Amino acid sequence: MQLKESEAAQQFRAEVRRFIEEALPEEIANAPTVGVSIEKPLLKKWHRALYEKGWVAPSWPEEHGGTGWDVTQKHIFQEECARANAPRLMAFGLTMVGPVIYTFGNDAQKARHLPGILSGDVWWCQGYSEPGAGSDLASLKTKAVREGDHYIVNGQKIWTSYAHEADWIFCLVRTDENVKQQEGISFLLIDMKSPGIEVRPIVTIDGLHHLNEVFFSDVKVPVENLVGEENKGWTYAKFLLANERTGIAGVPESKRRIAQLKKMAGEERDGDGKTLIEDEGFCRRLAELEIELSSLEFTNLRKLAEAAAGKTLGAETSILKVIGSELAQKLQTLAVELIAFYAQPFHRDQLLGLVSQAPVGPDHAVTVFSNYAFGRATTIYGGSNEIQRGVLAKAVLGL
């Protein structure tokens, strides 16, 4: 692994930094981030700017609208976006279903769906988890029965992020109950405006609405919306999950959080009037997390170097998810402790735009508790850390 950037990489970093400085409005960079991103109208504005530049899908092949960047360039782009406090784009279209469609979909599906994903005009959500099928996803019960040129879909999905804002949902459905669980699953694309779909909100412990239950009651889905072959959906699901976990270490985001913590600590004062950045105990804890982040970053860079050399990454990448998600939670916890009693008012109404008065405390305190509360799910989504540790024990350590 070569840590010193080449001259070409340095030039690319300068180009990316220059573009972001010119294209990222302050209203977007300073927008409160709760959950995975900022409010939809602002996020679509940033999505559009990247789309017009041709940088909205760095991991896609060039023939489908990607950038053609190598692993190093993608890493630099992620770092510079995080450094500038640019919001993360919604992943369901760009990172998840888009690659499934251009890899396994037919020409008509590519022509219909890829342009809207790239432009940001069409938003997607993911229909995987069910009340009885979370980590054991293959036990899903949502059923699709073929009748002529349609499937009739009945069942329920849960924890469906942003289904209330989505135009389409990609779903795993059971199309054969007489074979092994994994062999009877298909991958369907479903228009959220289809009759028979009901979305019910799930308000999480941050007091906000990110998640939903989605119910399907005799929903007619054209057979042309089947991706790939019937009963081969498990193959496409595993492909999608591999894409979902790409970059899940979250190193750029954790670097951004540490920079924010240092800024906040320079403004918050203790009972003696000293700033927290002068407090030995706080600085020791922050330094410990920075050391942990450095270790994670080097491990991540080693994996990136292997990928750049053409090696296939194996189960050992699960450690990136485990350490990255737990580090993110530690940083969120330290932020709550830093703002102390300013976390108590719980600024849900300000975040929802329901009140006009100024929030209690400094501006940097408004989203701290909500992000802490939302962040409790970090070690669950993307493959729970318990499952990831099992993968490491079995496939890496041979236990």
Side-chain angles (χ1 to χ4, degrees), residues 331-351:
L331 291 169
Q332 291 159 350
T333 299
L334 186 57
V336 171
E337 295 176 6
L338 186 152
I339 65 168
F341 49 81
Y342 288 134
Q344 193 169 359
F346 191 28
H347 301 91
R348 173 183 175 276
D349 290 346
Q350 274 85 13
L351 294 170

Side-chain angles (χ1 to χ4, degrees), residues 46-79:
W46 176 234
H47 187 125
R48 172 63 65 170
L50 290 172
Y51 169 67
E52 292 177 351
K53 177 67 174 176
W55 287 2
V56 78
S59 296
W60 287 28
E62 286 184 89
E63 63 266 29
H64 296 304
T67 58
W69 291 344
D70 60 26
V71 171
T72 300
Q73 289 173 309
K74 295 172 192 173
H75 179 70
I76 288 172
F77 178 71
Q78 291 173 348
E79 282 200 325

Side-chain angles (χ1 to χ4, degrees), residues 127-128 130 133 136-144 151 157 171-188 226-238:
Y128 272 27
E130 298 182 5
D136 182 20
L137 184 58
S139 64
L140 64 90
K141 303 295 184 186
T142 297
K143 186 185 299 185
Y151 288 101
K157 299 294 179 178
C171 268
L172 292 183
V173 295
R174 187 157 303 285
T175 44
D176 192 339
E177 297 180 299
N178 300 313
V179 293
K180 283 194 199 175
Q181 286 184 329
Q182 290 90 340
E183 295 176 3
I185 293 172
S186 296
F187 195 105
L188 283 184
L226 172 71
V227 174
E229 298 179 48
E230 188 173 275
N231 298 325
K232 298 295 184 183
W234 191 248
T235 299
Y236 316 139
K238 290 190 295 182

